[in-house]
Every structure is written in structure tokens, then in C-alpha cells.
Amino acid sequence: MLPMVDEADVVGALERAGLEVRADAGTRSMYASDASLYRIPPLAVVRPRHVDDVAATLAVSRETGVPVTSRGAGTSVAGNAVGRGVVLDFSRHLNRVLSVDPESRTAVVEPGTVHAVLQRAAAPHGIRFGPDPSTHPRCTIGGMIGNNACGSRSLAYGRTSDNVAGLDLLTAAGQTLTTGYDEGGMPFAHGADDVVSGVRTVMSRHLATARTEFDRFGRQVSGYAAHHLLPERFDLTQALVGSEGTLGVITRATVRLVVDASVRVVVVLGFPDIVAAGQAAPAVVAHGPTSCEGLDSRLIDVLRARRGPDAIPPLPRGRAWLFVEFAGEDLAEVASRALELAGAGVADDAVVVEDPAVQARLWRIREDGAGLAGRAPSGKPAWPGWEDAAVPPARLGEYLAAFDELVGSYGMTSAPFGHFGDGCMHVRLDFPLDRPDGTTVMREFLTESARLVGGFGGSLSGEHGDGRARSELLPHMYSEDAISLFGGIKHAFDPGNLLNPGVLVDPDPVDADVRPAGHFPVRNLAMAYPHDGGDLAQAVHRCTGVGKCRADNSAAGGVMCPSYLATREEKDSTRGRARVLQDVVRGELPWSHPSVHDALDLCLSCKGCASDCPTGIDMATYKSEVLHQTYRRRLRPRSHYTLGRLPMWARLAGRLPRVANRALTLPVVGPTALWLAGVDRRRSIPAFPDRPFRRTFAPRRSDLRPVVLFADSFSDSFSPEVAEATVRVLRDAGYEPRLPSGSVCCGLTWITTGQLDSAKEILRRTVSALAPDARAGLPIVGIEPSCTAVLRSDVHELLPGDEDAALVSSRVRTLSELLAETPGWEAPDLSGTQVIAQPHCHHHAVLGWKADADLLAATGASVTTLAGCCGLAGNFGVETGHYEVSLAVADQHLLPAVDAAPDAVVLADGFSCRTQVADLRGRHAVHLAQLLDPVGRLGPQVEAAVGAPTRG
């Protein structure tokens, strides 16, 4: 518990010390959780800019008695990075690689340095930091040191403790302690002499315990590494690694680097079940791989159900697999070792993978394991808590069988995965936390699990640390004397218990402060949340905190999370928003709270998280719900009435397009209109065409196969040339397009601005217009990706249980999907054409880009497909207050690619994407239909790609 202090006094003291302090309700919600089960709102968050800020924070802590918790990326799964006092977020400022020395193969880093940033700094020298957890694109080196993280290649590179050459830290008393090794390799410790002396005294009382209970196998991470403090070695550097921020605050680290192998070959081994895979792991390790990772089919089934069969590379037959990696410098030698294992008979089937691209896809599945496991095989939410146990590898198969039996006895399900070569198993479990006795059941299960792993001579933690999830259970693994030893070490370093209290020593109960415990019904919702049983609380708790939204996912073609990459603020990450919304459904914050809207303001509603986050969270939908709940029957922001109802205004302007275009160019009228519309004055408005598409479309009588063309409001009112090109491509492919009777609209702009009652009515009318043709079996071809995605996805959220809506959705196709299904259709030859392709975010996240990628490949064009978002994102990028972020997002991928290829065709199916390119670079981008257009092919349409766009 916190001491009796006035929160305002503590925050004031931190501010007077010149610190960067955040203590608003939104920040406290965001930092109340990490990637664990626990929710503990901090009193304040400090983002230190230099070491003096850390010292100043500790001084305030000593003065007020308020504890301090160190935090890196907040991806801790055991609750090591949350606390009731002050949270030190090192990731914002103290995040630099200070030096890389190729000769000594070392690097000096600040604690907030992201693992991937260190790797990029070391890569030009052919070296790397060895340990690589699945969170490597966003986890910090300081966090890895705190937990003694290992990762998938620990067979080759060991744990973090094996790769740290020195530490600088501050004790709770504010003393500087520097550890490392001299030229002879002997450990040293300079400073904090009283602390060092106290630790030696404590150790002298527990020598037998320290020599017999620790370091029994490679993944024994639980508790303090007391064996490194024996008098014959006394290595404080290794002892401090894994102490979870309870003994000191690390301010700098020197880490060892290893030579990065130039060749890697993966062998995938198939087994009948996960137990057989675990039993085979020791025999596999005998072949000398760098990695041996286990994966259960139950996890693969989740991925296949969420992303389709194409998400999984070909796997050998089986219901469980080992991903085994061999590395070296000679391909023939490495491949020979891989083939030897594949033919060794340790598995039912095997596949050898030499292609680096396929290897990357396999490793992404493994890296997304924690997020994918957020839904149990039962379909219920699954949680960490017992996600990191390890046993001696020779006993892994036996342990997996016993664990599976224990899980079943509680009526729960799981999908194990992990570092099987090291005997370490990761898992998520569907604890019944929505029941009144949910935490009681969780406590009983965790206690039995601790006894089970203790009986196998194992460790409660294999790399995540004990945190709040397991510290209370340490007596099931260690003797009473070992627990007393931990207390003595803690007291020597931190007698006032100011550093991360409740962890390891005098631990908090494992069932205290459980974030998702309880039932949080939210009534009168506008969205259906069909994948979460209609429960918004379950939907927003999909976020497990693994923090993939804090990483640059472009290497895998991802979009998430463009706003975080632009601002590097936690509030602008999918996770930060989810944490705030979790407090909304808990009743801690009202819908209309400024912190809620501040967190959601820069969400582009790109839906990148819906596909890129392994948990399947959909922040765009939640944002629409929040706006709906906040403004329903209330006065809305101006842009909701203008941009949010753009199709309506566009139809009106389409009656007198020349008058509308002229008015927007007048010196007073134009700027005033932009202001009234809530549009940033730096934006231009696309010109209205002389005649919308629907007025010019002329159906033909023919024997061609009929198809329905969904001419959305944007294509009709702003880009009729795109719709006309689509008609020509369809006719060339043997189809005769027809338009639905009456005007149709998907309601997208109403959805993104939270005008969901109106959106439902608009969608109902559209479904009614499309349903007769859908019942006749006709394909419905969309032009604008975002509108097509509404019919594919959002319609189920807004019109649940509507049979016509479901039927219409099932008939919806993109142009590329329809052409792929068309017998005899052949892509045109576009050899020699350079194409820069910007997939629309909703195309990527909802519709899928594979059909387009395959079609473009068939044309023979030289195609560069961009990751990320264009930055305009419908109404987002034109709204007042969003211009800078919109530009920053465009600068991530789109603008550099466009600038680097001035003669390339810019392909962008999304109207907003084409508008962004026109607005920021004066380039004319084309739709896929224009690229394929038999009339304009390699003629005016494609040539226009490098011409000047038409703007109002």
C-alpha cells in the first residue's frame, strides 16, 4: 500500500524537481497495466531525459516514501512493470545506443533502448545482440535485463545475463553502483560499498542453500540469482540481471555482441501432439541447432480461423511442430545439418525451409504466439499468469502431459508453445475470471501448477520473471532458507522497500489487482461485437499488452500503428487506447472524459490493428462506439456534420458542380467553407466532376455475365473516371455491370464519426437494394476499398442477424478477387511499367491484398508494394488538428517511395490515398481498374499517373 501522502504533493515535488511528469487520468490508465493480468494505477509517470532525472525521482521517493517502478516497453507478462507509486518510463528519452565497438564486440546502451534499434546499430558491423525475445521489435534492453529474457535462440546465445558486460545503476539511496569485468575477466563492483558489504554478509549466512538450490538447469530464472553472489565469484553484474527492478534502477548497460550468422536454414518437424514434440526436443537439441521452438496446432487453428489458410506456410503433417533453426556461414554445410535432422526419424514428418521469406513467415507465427493465444481453443479469452514455467528439458514431454491433464481437470483449455529446446513452455489459459469465484479458481490453479513444476525440479519462470504473477508461489520451488536469502538481499539493497515493492520479496497475492476479473456489462451498444459475444468489455480486453502496436511492422507489410510511429506516445498506440477503454468499461472513466477522446483523437480508424495485432483487436470499431455514445443526441464537432456526412453534401454539390467548384476557389468563401467544415486550411478540396458516374452510366443489353457494380459515393461524386474504367475492365473480362436500383451508400463517413444510428439506416437501405441481386447469385463488385470493406465487415457489426446483410456480404468482391475467379481471364502485359502500390489500409486489414498482389505479378510490371498508411485515412487527415500527424504518417513510407520513383505509376485504389498523393506531391495516382483499362492501358490513364491532378 502507498504511504499516507497527498498525491498532489508528490506530483508537485516531481514537477519542482524539473521532471517530465504525467499524472492525468488517461496516463494513469495506460500505465496501470503491462502485458500481464494486473491493473495497478500509478500515482504518476516520470519520463526521465537523463540520469539526473532518475536520481531526482529517487530523491522524491525517499522524501515521500512513494515507491518507484522501472518500465521499458511495458511488455512484461508477469506484472513486473506496474506499481502504485511513480513509474519511470525509460522508453521515451533514455533510449539511445551510445556506442558500438566492433573490436570488443560490445555496445553501451541506455535502458530504454529498443532491442531492434540496437540490432540496427550493430548490423553494419556483422554483429548482433544474441538474445531475441518474441517482442524484439519493441522490447527494451533494460526490460530484458530486468527479467533476464532469453528468446528463441538461447540455445546458441544464452540468456541476457550471459550477454551483459557491465551495469551502471542507482540504488534506492541514490548511490551509484558500477559493475563489470576487468581485463582478466574477473568481476568488479565500484560504489555503494555499504550495499555490497551487506550483500556479502547476507550470503555468508546462506552458503549451502546458494550452492545447492540454484543454477540447476539453464532456464531457472525464478527468484534472485544468488549463486552469482557466492564468495568464490561474487558477480554482481549477473546477479542483478533478472532482479526485476527491485534492487536498483539501471541507467546504462554494456552488452556483449555476437557474430551474426549469414546463413540460416529451418527444419519444421511434425508430431502427433504437443507432448510428443516436447519428448523429442532433447534429441533435436543434440544436433546443435540455434533454436528449437514448439507450437501446438491449437494455436495454428486460431491463426487460420482469423486470417485464412494463406496465413500459414506449408507445414509437415501433424498436430504439433518444432521449428528448428541451424545457422552458419556455409549454405551447403548448414543445409546438410538440417537435412540430417529431417531424416533422423525424430518426427512423423519434416520440411526443410531455405527461403528466408518463408522462414520469416514461420518466425512471425511463433513471435505472435502470445497474442494469438489470447483466445483459448474454447473460444473464450485466455490470460497469462502461468505462461512461463520451465523444467529440465529431458522432462518436458512428461511435464506437458501432466500440465494438460491439470488444465483439463479445471475445465480449461490451452494452446502451449515455447522454447522447447530449453524446456520452457508458454501458454495462455481461459481462467473463468468473469465468474464471482474466478480469482479463487485462478489462485487454486496457480498453486497446483507451482507444486507440479516444483515436483519436476523446474522453475516458475523461464524468462519472464516472477513479478506479481508468481512471486507469492516461490515457496513451492525454494526452501524457507532460500526465501529468507532473497529477503536479505533485498534489504541490503533497498531497506525502505521503495523499488518495485510487491515483487519477489514480501510479494502481493497472485489474485490481487487482477485487471479482467469481474463482469462489466455495457448496455445500449451500437455495435454487435459478434466475435466477443456482444461484450465490449471482452472486446477491449483482447489487448493483452504485448505491444506489437509500438513496433514498426512494415517489414511484414503491416499497417499498425501509424499514429504511434508518428508521435511515439503511448496514448497514440493501440495498447494505450485499449487500456483507457478498459477503464471506461470498468466505470472508472465516462465515455465523454477528455482523456478518452485525447487517446482516440489520433486514431486514424485504419483498422491496421484488426489484422496486424495478433489479438484481433479493432480500435476503429471501438472509436466509432465511443463517438456514438458520447455525442448521441448531443451537439457534435463541426466536422461530423460536414465530413461525416460528405456523401450527402457531395450529392447536393453534384447538381451544380461548376458553381460548387467556383465557390470553393473564391478568396473569402473557400477558406470560410473549410473552417466551417472543420477542414485544415492547408488542405485542398478535390473538384466535383461535371457529371457524377451514375448519371453517365449506360447499361447494355448483352449476353455477358451480369455483375452488380457497387458505385460508392466517392467513386460516383469525385472519381467517376475510376468507375468508368471499372466498367470497361469488367466488360473486357466478360461481365456486364449493372447498378443497384436507387442510390446506395455504405455509410462509412457516418461510421467513422460515430453517427451509428444513421449509419444503420443507410446500410439497411443499401442492403435492401443489393439483396435481390445477391439472392440471384450475382457478384457485387466494389470500387472503393473502404466502402467495400464496410459491406464485407462492418455490416455484421451494425446489422447483426440480418440475413440479407449476411448474404450481400458473402457476395461482395474486389475487382481483383472477381478477376481471379473468372475462367480464361488473363492479366494484361505491363512489362516495363514501374508501379508503386499503396494498398488502402482497409484493403490490407479487411479485404486482403493477396488477390491484388497476384494479379499485379501476373502483369509482369515491376511492383513495389508499400506498407503502412497513407496518412489521410478518410476524414482524419483533413480535419483541423490532424495535418502534422497526417503528414508524418505519409512520410513513413508513401512519400519517400513516391519521391524516389518520379516516373513510376502510383497505384492507389483508395480515394483518400490518391488524394493524399495529389495534395502533398501533385502526382496523379491511379486505381487498379485504370491500370488494367483496355482503353487507356499504357496510354492516357497510365500516363496521367505522372501528370498533374485536378484539384479544387
Coordinates of all heavy atoms in Angstrom, one line a residue, residues 502-552:
G502 N 6.2 -5.5 -3.7 CA 5.2 -6.5 -4.1 C 5.7 -7.5 -5.0 O 5.0 -8.4 -5.4
V503 N 7.0 -7.4 -5.4 CA 7.6 -8.4 -6.4 C 8.8 -9.1 -5.7 O 9.6 -8.4 -5.1 CB 8.0 -7.6 -7.7 CG1 8.8 -8.6 -8.6 CG2 6.8 -7.0 -8.4
L504 N 8.8 -10.4 -5.9 CA 9.9 -11.3 -5.4 C 9.9 -11.4 -3.8 O 9.9 -12.5 -3.3 CB 11.3 -10.8 -5.9 CG 11.5 -11.1 -7.4 CD1 12.8 -10.5 -7.9 CD2 11.4 -12.5 -7.8
V505 N 10.1 -10.3 -3.1 CA 10.1 -10.3 -1.7 C 8.9 -9.6 -1.1 O 8.5 -8.5 -1.6 CB 11.4 -9.6 -1.2 CG1 11.5 -9.5 0.3 CG2 12.6 -10.4 -1.7
D506 N 8.3 -10.2 0.0 CA 7.1 -9.7 0.5 C 6.1 -9.4 -0.6 O 5.5 -8.3 -0.8 CB 7.3 -8.4 1.3 CG 8.2 -8.6 2.5 OD1 8.1 -9.6 3.1 OD2 9.0 -7.6 2.8
P507 N 5.8 -10.5 -1.3 CA 5.0 -10.3 -2.6 C 3.5 -10.0 -2.4 O 3.0 -10.4 -1.3 CB 5.2 -11.7 -3.3 CG 5.4 -12.6 -2.2 CD 6.2 -11.9 -1.1
D508 N 2.9 -9.4 -3.3 CA 1.5 -9.2 -3.3 C 0.9 -10.5 -3.7 O 1.5 -11.4 -4.3 CB 1.1 -8.2 -4.4 CG 1.4 -6.8 -4.0 OD1 1.8 -6.5 -2.9 OD2 1.3 -5.9 -4.9
P509 N -0.4 -10.8 -3.2 CA -1.1 -12.0 -3.6 C -1.2 -12.1 -5.1 O -1.5 -11.1 -5.8 CB -2.4 -11.9 -2.9 CG -2.2 -10.9 -1.8 CD -1.2 -9.9 -2.3
V510 N -1.2 -13.3 -5.6 CA -1.3 -13.6 -7.0 C -2.7 -13.2 -7.6 O -2.8 -13.0 -8.8 CB -0.9 -15.0 -7.4 CG1 0.5 -15.3 -7.1 CG2 -1.9 -16.0 -6.7
D511 N -3.7 -13.2 -6.7 CA -5.0 -12.9 -7.1 C -5.5 -11.5 -6.8 O -6.7 -11.2 -6.8 CB -6.0 -14.0 -6.6 CG -5.9 -14.1 -5.0 OD1 -5.0 -13.5 -4.4 OD2 -6.8 -14.7 -4.4
A512 N -4.6 -10.6 -6.4 CA -4.9 -9.3 -6.1 C -4.8 -8.4 -7.4 O -3.9 -8.6 -8.2 CB -4.0 -8.7 -5.0
D513 N -5.6 -7.4 -7.5 CA -5.5 -6.4 -8.6 C -5.6 -7.1 -10.0 O -4.9 -6.6 -10.9 CB -4.2 -5.6 -8.4 CG -4.1 -5.0 -7.1 OD1 -5.0 -4.2 -6.7 OD2 -3.1 -5.2 -6.4
V514 N -6.4 -8.1 -10.1 CA -6.5 -8.8 -11.4 C -7.4 -7.9 -12.3 O -8.6 -7.7 -12.1 CB -7.1 -10.2 -11.3 CG1 -7.3 -10.8 -12.6 CG2 -6.1 -11.0 -10.4
R515 N -6.8 -7.5 -13.4 CA -7.5 -6.5 -14.3 C -8.8 -7.0 -14.9 O -9.8 -6.3 -14.8 CB -6.5 -6.1 -15.4 CG -7.1 -5.2 -16.5 CD -6.0 -4.7 -17.5 NE -5.0 -5.7 -17.8 CZ -5.2 -6.6 -18.8 NH1 -6.3 -6.6 -19.6 NH2 -4.2 -7.4 -19.1
P516 N -8.8 -8.2 -15.5 CA -10.1 -8.6 -16.1 C -11.1 -9.3 -15.2 O -12.1 -9.8 -15.7 CB -9.6 -9.5 -17.3 CG -8.4 -10.1 -16.7 CD -7.8 -9.1 -15.8
A517 N -10.8 -9.4 -13.9 CA -11.7 -10.1 -13.0 C -13.0 -9.3 -12.9 O -13.0 -8.1 -12.6 CB -11.0 -10.3 -11.7
G518 N -14.1 -10.1 -13.0 CA -15.4 -9.5 -12.8 C -16.1 -9.4 -14.1 O -15.6 -9.8 -15.2
H519 N -17.4 -8.9 -14.0 CA -18.2 -8.8 -15.2 C -18.6 -7.3 -15.4 O -19.0 -6.7 -14.4 CB -19.5 -9.6 -15.0 CG -20.4 -9.7 -16.2 ND1 -19.9 -10.0 -17.5 CD2 -21.7 -9.4 -16.4 CE1 -20.9 -10.0 -18.4 NE2 -22.0 -9.6 -17.7
F520 N -18.4 -6.8 -16.6 CA -18.5 -5.4 -16.8 C -19.5 -5.2 -17.9 O -19.2 -4.9 -19.1 CB -17.2 -4.7 -17.1 CG -16.1 -5.0 -16.2 CD1 -15.1 -5.9 -16.5 CD2 -16.1 -4.5 -14.9 CE1 -14.1 -6.2 -15.6 CE2 -15.1 -4.7 -14.0 CZ -14.1 -5.6 -14.4
P521 N -20.8 -5.3 -17.7 CA -21.8 -5.2 -18.7 C -21.9 -3.7 -19.2 O -22.1 -2.8 -18.3 CB -23.1 -5.7 -18.1 CG -22.9 -5.5 -16.6 CD -21.4 -5.7 -16.4
V522 N -21.9 -3.5 -20.5 CA -22.1 -2.2 -21.0 C -23.3 -2.3 -21.9 O -23.3 -3.0 -22.9 CB -20.8 -1.7 -21.8 CG1 -21.0 -0.3 -22.3 CG2 -19.6 -1.8 -21.0
R523 N -24.3 -1.5 -21.6 CA -25.6 -1.7 -22.3 C -25.8 -0.6 -23.4 O -25.1 0.4 -23.4 CB -26.7 -1.6 -21.2 CG -26.7 -2.8 -20.2 CD -27.8 -2.7 -19.2 NE -27.8 -3.9 -18.4 CZ -27.1 -4.0 -17.3 NH1 -26.2 -3.1 -17.0 NH2 -27.2 -5.1 -16.6
N524 N -26.8 -0.9 -24.2 CA -27.2 0.0 -25.3 C -26.0 0.3 -26.2 O -25.8 1.5 -26.6 CB -27.7 1.3 -24.7 CG -28.9 1.1 -23.8 OD1 -29.8 0.3 -24.1 ND2 -29.0 1.7 -22.6
L525 N -25.3 -0.7 -26.6 CA -24.2 -0.5 -27.5 C -24.7 -0.5 -29.0 O -25.8 -1.1 -29.3 CB -23.2 -1.7 -27.4 CG -22.5 -1.7 -26.1 CD1 -21.7 -3.1 -26.0 CD2 -21.5 -0.6 -25.9
A526 N -24.0 0.2 -29.8 CA -24.5 0.4 -31.2 C -23.9 -0.8 -32.1 O -24.5 -1.2 -33.0 CB -24.0 1.7 -31.8
M527 N -22.7 -1.2 -31.7 CA -22.0 -2.3 -32.5 C -22.4 -3.6 -31.8 O -22.7 -3.7 -30.6 CB -20.5 -2.1 -32.5 CG -20.1 -0.8 -33.2 SD -20.3 -0.9 -35.0 CE -19.3 0.5 -35.5
A528 N -22.3 -4.7 -32.6 CA -22.7 -6.0 -32.1 C -21.6 -6.8 -31.5 O -21.9 -7.7 -30.6 CB -23.3 -6.8 -33.3
Y529 N -20.4 -6.6 -31.8 CA -19.2 -7.3 -31.3 C -19.5 -8.8 -31.4 O -19.4 -9.5 -30.4 CB -18.9 -6.9 -29.9 CG -18.7 -5.4 -29.8 CD1 -19.7 -4.6 -29.3 CD2 -17.6 -4.7 -30.3 CE1 -19.6 -3.2 -29.2 CE2 -17.4 -3.3 -30.3 CZ -18.5 -2.6 -29.8 OH -18.3 -1.2 -29.7
P530 N -19.8 -9.3 -32.6 CA -20.1 -10.7 -32.7 C -19.0 -11.7 -32.3 O -19.3 -12.8 -31.9 CB -20.5 -10.9 -34.2 CG -19.8 -9.8 -34.9 CD -19.8 -8.6 -33.9
H531 N -17.8 -11.3 -32.4 CA -16.7 -12.2 -32.1 C -16.4 -12.2 -30.6 O -15.5 -12.9 -30.1 CB -15.4 -11.8 -32.9 CG -15.6 -11.8 -34.4 ND1 -15.9 -12.9 -35.1 CD2 -15.6 -10.8 -35.3 CE1 -16.0 -12.7 -36.3 NE2 -15.9 -11.4 -36.5
D532 N -17.1 -11.3 -29.9 CA -16.9 -11.2 -28.4 C -18.2 -11.4 -27.6 O -18.3 -10.9 -26.5 CB -16.2 -9.9 -28.1 CG -14.9 -9.7 -28.7 OD1 -13.9 -10.3 -28.2 OD2 -14.7 -9.0 -29.7
G533 N -19.1 -12.1 -28.2 CA -20.4 -12.4 -27.6 C -21.2 -11.1 -27.2 O -21.9 -11.1 -26.3
G534 N -21.0 -10.1 -28.1 CA -21.7 -8.8 -27.8 C -21.2 -8.0 -26.6 O -21.8 -7.1 -26.2
D535 N -20.0 -8.4 -26.2 CA -19.5 -7.8 -24.9 C -18.3 -6.9 -25.3 O -17.2 -7.3 -25.6 CB -19.0 -8.9 -24.0 CG -18.6 -8.4 -22.6 OD1 -18.5 -7.2 -22.4 OD2 -18.3 -9.3 -21.8
L536 N -18.5 -5.6 -25.1 CA -17.4 -4.6 -25.4 C -16.3 -4.8 -24.4 O -15.1 -4.6 -24.8 CB -18.0 -3.2 -25.3 CG -17.0 -2.0 -25.5 CD1 -16.3 -2.1 -26.9 CD2 -17.6 -0.7 -25.3
A537 N -16.6 -5.1 -23.2 CA -15.5 -5.3 -22.2 C -14.6 -6.5 -22.7 O -13.4 -6.4 -22.6 CB -16.1 -5.7 -20.8
Q538 N -15.2 -7.5 -23.2 CA -14.3 -8.6 -23.7 C -13.6 -8.2 -24.9 O -12.4 -8.6 -25.1 CB -15.2 -9.8 -24.0 CG -14.4 -11.1 -24.4 CD -15.4 -12.3 -24.6 OE1 -15.3 -12.9 -25.7 NE2 -16.2 -12.6 -23.7
A539 N -14.2 -7.3 -25.7 CA -13.5 -6.9 -26.9 C -12.3 -6.0 -26.6 O -11.2 -6.3 -27.2 CB -14.5 -6.1 -27.8
V540 N -12.4 -5.1 -25.7 CA -11.3 -4.2 -25.4 C -10.3 -4.9 -24.6 O -9.1 -4.6 -24.6 CB -11.7 -2.9 -24.7 CG1 -12.6 -2.1 -25.6 CG2 -12.4 -3.1 -23.4
H541 N -10.7 -6.0 -23.9 CA -9.7 -6.8 -23.2 C -9.0 -7.8 -24.0 O -8.1 -8.6 -23.6 CB -10.3 -7.5 -22.0 CG -10.4 -6.6 -20.7 ND1 -11.5 -5.9 -20.4 CD2 -9.5 -6.3 -19.8 CE1 -11.3 -5.2 -19.3 NE2 -10.1 -5.5 -18.9
R542 N -9.3 -7.8 -25.3 CA -8.5 -8.6 -26.3 C -7.0 -8.1 -26.2 O -6.1 -8.9 -26.4 CB -9.0 -8.4 -27.7 CG -10.1 -9.2 -28.1 CD -10.6 -9.0 -29.5 NE -11.6 -9.9 -30.0 CZ -11.4 -11.0 -30.6 NH1 -10.2 -11.4 -30.8 NH2 -12.4 -11.8 -30.9
C543 N -6.8 -6.8 -25.9 CA -5.5 -6.3 -25.8 C -4.8 -6.9 -24.6 O -5.2 -6.7 -23.5 CB -5.5 -4.8 -25.6 SG -3.8 -4.1 -25.4
T544 N -3.8 -7.7 -24.9 CA -3.0 -8.4 -23.8 C -1.8 -7.6 -23.4 O -1.1 -7.9 -22.5 CB -2.6 -9.8 -24.2 OG1 -1.7 -9.7 -25.4 CG2 -3.8 -10.7 -24.6
G545 N -1.5 -6.5 -24.1 CA -0.4 -5.6 -23.8 C 0.9 -6.0 -24.4 O 1.9 -5.5 -24.0
V546 N 0.9 -7.0 -25.4 CA 2.2 -7.4 -25.9 C 2.9 -6.3 -26.7 O 4.1 -6.4 -27.0 CB 2.0 -8.6 -26.8 CG1 1.5 -9.8 -26.0 CG2 1.0 -8.4 -28.0
G547 N 2.2 -5.2 -27.0 CA 2.8 -4.0 -27.6 C 3.3 -4.1 -29.0 O 4.2 -3.3 -29.4
K548 N 2.7 -5.0 -29.8 CA 3.2 -5.0 -31.2 C 2.8 -3.7 -31.9 O 3.5 -3.3 -32.9 CB 2.5 -6.2 -31.9 CG 3.1 -6.4 -33.3 CD 2.5 -7.7 -34.0 CE 3.1 -7.9 -35.3 NZ 2.5 -9.1 -36.0
C549 N 1.9 -3.0 -31.4 CA 1.5 -1.7 -31.9 C 2.6 -0.6 -31.7 O 2.5 0.5 -32.3 CB 0.2 -1.2 -31.3 SG 0.1 -1.3 -29.5
R550 N 3.5 -0.9 -30.8 CA 4.6 0.1 -30.6 C 5.8 -0.2 -31.5 O 6.9 0.4 -31.4 CB 5.1 0.0 -29.1 CG 4.1 0.6 -28.1 CD 4.5 0.4 -26.7 NE 5.9 0.8 -26.4 CZ 6.2 1.9 -25.8 NH1 5.3 2.7 -25.3 NH2 7.5 2.2 -25.5
A551 N 5.7 -1.2 -32.4 CA 6.8 -1.6 -33.3 C 6.5 -1.1 -34.7 O 5.3 -0.9 -35.1 CB 7.0 -3.1 -33.2
D552 N 7.5 -1.0 -35.5 CA 7.4 -0.8 -36.9 C 7.2 -2.1 -37.6 O 8.1 -3.0 -37.7 CB 8.6 -0.1 -37.5 CG 8.5 0.2 -39.0 OD1 7.5 -0.2 -39.6 OD2 9.4 0.9 -39.5

